[in-house]
Amino acid sequence: TRPSLEPFDTAEPKLVSYREVPNNLEAEQALLGALLLNNEAFNRVADFLKAEHFHLPVHGRVYAAIGRLIDRGQIANPVTLKHMFEGDEALSDAGGAQYLARLAGAAVTIINAQHYGRTIHDLALRRSLIRIGEDMVLNAYEASLDADANDQIESVEQQLSNLAEDGLA
C-alpha cells in the first residue's frame, strides 16, 4: 500500500510524550550522603560502582573524590572535600560546599548504601542500553550499500558484551 498523503488531522492536537532517561537523583544523593557520614560504606559499593554510573556528572565527581581520599587513607567528608571542588561550576550551581554538607546532613542511614549503589548501577546500565539501541537504529538507517549488516550486528554484540562484563558502554 502507498503511504497516505492526506493532510495531518489538525482537529485534535496530540501531546507528544517525552521520556526521561532512567535515573534516580535521590538515590545518588542518599548514597553520597551515606558515604560522607561513614567512609566504610564506600567498600560496599566500590567493587561495582564507578563515577561514570552517576547520572549527574557532579555526583560522579563527588563520588570519585570520596574514593581518592579514602584510597589515600584520609577522611572524606564535606570539610575535606570542600577544597577539591573550589571552582567546580556544577557544584557551585548546586550550592557549593553547602551542597556537600546538605548531602551528609540528609543521609538517614548507611545501611542502604549498597542498595542505593545497585540502583545507580542498574539505571546506568539502562542508559547505556538506550544509547546502544539508538546508535544501532541510526547506523542501520544510515548504512551505505557497501556496509555489511553482519558487521553492524557484530559491533552491537560486542558493545552489549562489554556492557555486561564492564558495566560501561
Side-chain angles (χ1 to χ4, degrees):
T1 66
R2 291 181 50 183
S4 171
L5 297 177
E6 296 297 316
F8 293 112
D9 181 14
T10 57
E12 192 73 34
K14 296 183 181 183
L15 295 176
V16 177
S17 64
Y18 292 98
R19 293 187 214 172
E20 187 175 333
V21 294
N23 70 84
N24 186 331
L25 298 181
E26 292 83 4
E28 292 184 9
Q29 291 171 330
L31 175 63
L32 293 173
L35 298 179
L36 291 170
L37 280 182
N38 184 338
N39 291 174
E40 292 297 318
F42 186 78
N43 297 327
R44 297 181 191 165
V45 297
D47 61 327
F48 65 87
L49 190 63
K50 310 285 182 251
E52 297 83 17
H53 291 133
F54 286 81
H55 179 63
L56 274 188
V58 69
H59 286 168
R61 290 194 301 277
V62 170
Y63 178 78
I66 290 170
R68 281 193 305 274
L69 286 174
I70 291 171
D71 286 346
R72 287 190 229 150
Q74 298 175 323
I75 295 172
N77 62 32
V79 174
T80 58
L81 285 175
K82 179 182 173 183
H83 79 280
M84 298 176 83
F85 287 96
E86 290 174 356
D88 187 307
E89 206 171 297
L91 189 62
S92 293
D93 290 345
Q98 290 80 22
Y99 183 68
L100 296 171
R102 281 200 323 266
L103 285 173
V108 178
T109 180
I110 63 156
I111 295 171
N112 296 325
Q114 188 172 20
H115 175 72
Y116 294 142
R118 291 277 178 214
T119 298
I120 294 164
H121 184 261
D122 181 69
L123 293 170
L125 291 178
R126 292 170 189 269
R127 289 191 301 273
S128 292
L129 282 170
I130 290 168
R131 277 192 298 277
I132 291 169
E134 288 173 344
D135 289 346
M136 179 182 64
V137 169
L138 289 174
N139 289 336
Y141 272 111
E142 295 176 358
S144 71
L145 294 176
D146 296 332
D148 183 21
N150 286 322
D151 290 343
Q152 289 179 318
I153 292 169
E154 288 176 18
S155 173
V156 171
E157 286 176 339
Q158 184 61 51
Q159 290 175 50
L160 291 172
S161 176
N162 292 344
L163 181 61
E165 289 176 22
D166 304 333
L168 296 171

